[in-house]
Amino acid sequence: MIEFTLPSMGADMDEGTLLEWKIKAGDTVKKGQVVAVVDTSKAAVDIESWHDGTVLELIATPGDKIPVGTPMALLLAPGETPPATSAESARRASASATVAKRINVSPAARKYAQQHDVDLERVAGTGMQGAVTLKDVERFALARPAATVPEVPHERAVEMRRVIAAAMQRSKRDIPHYYVSETIPMGEALAWLTSANTTRSVVDRLLPAVLLLKAVAITLRRFPELNGFYRDDAFSHAEKVQVGVAISLRQGGLIAPALFDVESKPLQQVMRDLIDLVKRCRAGSLRSSELSEPTITVTDLGDRGSMEVFGVIYPPQVALVGFGRIAQRPWAQDGELKIMPSIKASLSADHRVSDGHRGALFLTELSETLQHPEEFER
Amino acid sequence: MNDTDIHTVVVATLKSIAPEIEENTLRDDLPLRAQVDLDSIDWLNFLVGLHERLGVDIPESDYGRLITLRDVIDYLGKARSRNSDS
C-alpha cells in the first residue's frame, strides 16, 4: 500500500490547501497524472502522482490545510490486493508509528499534531472506532489560547511575502554565498537573433532570454558542482539540468518554476514553453513538478532591469545565475574602441560546494557559448 | 476601422496583459512602457495580441518606432490601410 503524500513544492512552500480531487476511490492512476489541485500562497498547483496504482482511499478533503509530506490518499501498487477494511489498514499504519500509547490516529492527523505541537492523547476522536481525524486535531489546536496558534494571513499577497521572506532568510542563514561576475559581449548573439527573427512572424519570434537560458543549460553540463541540491549536510549532483526561471508576478511576488529540458529542446520550443510558463505563473496555475524540480535558477531582469543582479540562491539549490539588461557599452577590441551590446552576468554560488575558481570558469565558458549561437541547434 | 476603434482594441489588448491598468490615466503621448510595466515577454504578447485582433504582423525592425500609445495607433492605422489597399 502506498501513502500518497503532498510533494514538496519548492523551499518556500511548506503547506497547501486542498482545492479539489481529480481522482476518486477505485480510479487507476499513472505516474505524472494530475490527481489534485492544491492552493498555495503563490499559485494553485496541480499535484502530480509519483506512482502508478489504484486509489484505495482519499484521506484529505477539500478545504483541508495540508503540510508538505502529509499523506493525502492511500494507493494500491499495481497488482496489490486491498486489505480487509480501510479502518483496519489505518489501524495498521498507526500501529507502526512511534507513539507510546495505542491511539488510532489518521496519518494526516498525526502529521498535523506533530507540526502544531498537539498532544494526541488529549484529542477526542470522532472517526471510525474512535479514531482521531485531521479535523479533530485542527479543532483542538484552534481551541487553544491564541498565543500557541499561529496567525493565519488572509490575503494571498501577504502570505506570499511571508513565504518568500522565510525562504530567503533561510538561504542567507544557511548558504555561504560567493559571487563572481562577467561582462559578456552579445554582438554575435544579437546578430544571429535578428537574422533568425526577420523570417519569423511575431508569434514565433525569439527573445534574447531563450539564448541565455539555453547557454546556461549547455554550459552547466560541465559544472556538476553548480547543478544539484544541498541537503542534510551533503551535496548531490543532479543527473539532468532543469533550469528554474525567476518570474515576477504582476501583483507582486516572485516564483521560479522549472522550464523543462531547455538543453535538449529546439529554441523555438523553449520560447513557446517560456511564454506558456509565464502565462500560467501570472494566472497562478502550475504543476508540482515545476516547483520541486529546478536544479538551478536563472534570474534575468530583462531590458527594464538593472545593469547587473546578484541573486539569492533558492535552497536546496547551490547556484543562481543573474543577468542584467543588454546595453550598448564601450568595448576595447584589437586595440580599438567600439560600441558593443553586452550583458553583465553573475553567478551566486554555495561555497560549501564550489569555489570561486570554478565559478569564474563557468562564467568564462558561458560567455564563450554565447559567442556561437549557431551551435545551439546542432 | 478608424483611429478610435484601433485605440479601443489596443487598450483592450494591453489590459489582457496588464489587467491592473486604468484606461483614463493612460497618456498616449508618453512612453508606453514607462506607464505600463511591460517586460520583453509582455511586450511580445502585446504584439501577438495586436496581430490576432488587427491582422498586423509588426517586424522587429519597427519596434523602435512604437514608443507612445499614439505611435502604436498611428502605425497600426497605416499598416491596416496598406493591407486593405493591396
Side-chain angles (χ1 to χ4, degrees):
Chain A
M1 195 167 58
I2 306 163
E3 268 188 349
F4 182 76
T5 61
L6 183 64
S8 161
M9 293 173 291
D12 49 6
M13 288 190 260
D14 45 16
E15 63 177 15
T17 304
L18 179 62
L19 290 178
E20 64 171 304
W21 279 112
K22 297 283 196 187
I23 50 170
K24 57 187 188 303
D27 284 355
T28 326
V29 164
K30 294 220 96 53
K31 183 173 170 174
Q33 183 182 334
V34 175
V35 297
V37 184
V38 166
D39 199 28
T40 69
S41 56
K42 293 191 175 182
V45 182
D46 288 337
I47 304 298
E48 296 150 302
S49 174
W50 282 108
H51 315 278
D52 287 338
T54 314
V55 182
L56 176 62
E57 189 185 331
L58 300 180
I59 298 172
T61 46
D64 284 350
K65 216 175 201 164
I66 309 168
V68 166
T70 308
M72 297 170 70
L74 295 175
L75 302 180
L76 290 172
E80 200 184 335
T81 50
T85 66
S86 57
E88 202 174 338
S89 56
R91 228 176 315 221
R92 266 201 288 268
S94 60
S96 62
T98 53
V99 170
K101 289 230 182 116
R102 289 185 57 81
I103 310 168
N104 296 332
V105 186
S106 81
R110 186 179 306 282
K111 189 78 192 212
Y112 185 96
Q114 217 178 326
Q115 307 256 352
H116 296 261
D117 214 4
V118 170
D119 182 358
L120 282 168
E121 297 181 35
R122 300 174 55 200
V123 180
T126 62
M128 260 171 108
Q129 317 254 354
V132 173
T133 67
L134 180 62
K135 283 256 143 20
D136 294 332
V137 183
E138 280 181 333
R139 215 173 295 129
F140 182 87
L142 286 167
R144 288 187 303 194
T148 58
V149 175
E151 211 179 51
V152 177
H154 296 286
E155 291 177 37
R156 194 181 212 145
V158 171
E159 179 62 17
M160 183 177 325
R161 208 67 244 164
R162 188 189 72 77
V163 298
I164 293 173
M168 295 293 91
Q169 195 163 26
R170 175 181 147 197
S171 173
K172 283 280 155 155
R173 184 193 65 215
D174 293 345
I175 304 178
H177 284 59
Y178 74 83
Y179 307 93
V180 282
S181 82
E182 180 83 16
T183 307
I184 301 177
M186 290 292 282
E188 293 294 334
L190 292 183
W192 185 90
L193 208 55
T194 304
S195 160
N197 278 337
T198 39
T199 50
R200 285 176 144 93
S201 152
V202 66
V203 294
D204 293 325
R205 214 152 281 164
L206 301 174
L207 289 176
V210 299
L211 287 185
L212 299 176
L213 292 173
K214 190 72 139 141
V216 168
I218 291 171
T219 312
L220 207 56
R221 263 193 244 131
R222 296 186 283 284
F223 292 86
E225 66 268 61
L226 299 176
N227 184 58
F229 307 108
Y230 195 92
R231 282 188 277 240
D232 302 320
D233 296 323
F235 172 66
S236 61
H237 142 68
E239 274 292 318
K240 293 179 104 177
V241 173
Q242 297 296 9
V243 180
V245 183
I247 293 167
S248 71
L249 304 173
R250 292 207 76 85
Q251 64 273 34
L254 187 61
I255 193 164
L259 187 61
F260 288 120
D261 307 319
V262 169
E263 208 189 321
S264 51
K265 280 179 188 158
L267 285 172
Q268 190 69 75
Q269 192 62 49
V270 177
M271 185 71 205
R272 278 201 203 105
D273 292 349
L274 178 61
I275 290 184
D276 176 66
L277 187 61
V278 170
K279 188 182 298 178
R280 285 187 294 112
C281 281
R282 305 247 167 104
S285 165
L286 292 166
R287 296 174 76 101
S288 54
S289 54
E290 291 173 323
L291 295 170
S292 59
E293 292 190 22
T295 57
I296 187 170
T297 299
V298 172
T299 185
D300 174 10
L301 295 183
D303 45 341
R304 306 199 70 233
S306 59
M307 224 169 53
E308 54 193 334
V309 54
F310 298 98
V312 181
I313 297 169
Y314 191 62
Q317 294 163 34
V318 296
L320 182 141
V321 182
F323 290 105
R325 67 173 179 275
I326 299 176
Q328 302 284 354
R329 296 189 170 96
W331 193 265
Q333 194 170 309
D334 306 320
E336 285 189 348
L337 199 57
K338 56 193 281 203
I339 304 294
M340 169 78 81
S342 61
I343 196 170
K344 286 186 185 272
S346 71
L347 174 73
S348 311
D350 187 331
H351 217 318
R352 297 170 297 186
V353 185
S354 68
D355 300 328
H357 177 64
R358 287 289 291 168
L361 280 179
F362 169 78
L363 284 183
T364 309
E365 283 204 32
L366 180 66
S367 180
E368 188 53 37
T369 306
L370 279 164
Q371 305 313 310
H372 305 280
E374 70 285 354
E375 306 269 316
F376 288 178
E377 305 270 65
R378 297 263 169 85
Chain B
M1 197 180 253
N2 60 28
D3 256 21
T4 317
D5 298 327
I6 294 182
H7 186 284
T8 310
V9 173
V10 171
V11 173
T13 311
L14 262 178
K15 276 208 98 138
S16 69
I17 290 158
E20 75 282 353
I21 58 168
E22 285 172 37
E23 301 158 46
N24 28 5
T25 59
L26 213 54
R27 300 242 335 231
D28 66 357
D29 58 340
L30 290 180
L32 187 53
R33 290 180 73 176
Q35 297 179 74
V36 185
D37 190 6
L38 299 170
D39 64 23
S40 50
I41 288 194
D42 292 329
W43 179 252
L44 193 62
N45 284 334
F46 175 56
L47 297 183
V48 168
L50 294 177
H51 178 249
E52 267 166 21
R53 295 171 201 227
L54 296 169
V56 177
D57 197 339
I58 305 174
E60 259 194 336
S61 45
D62 284 350
Y63 287 2
R65 296 161 59 181
L66 307 172
I67 308 292
T68 67
L69 189 54
R70 181 101 304 259
D71 292 338
V72 175
I73 294 167
D74 289 345
Y75 181 96
L76 291 169
K78 288 202 194 86
R80 280 180 62 86
S81 38
R82 266 200 316 273
N83 286 353
S84 56
D85 284 345
S86 55

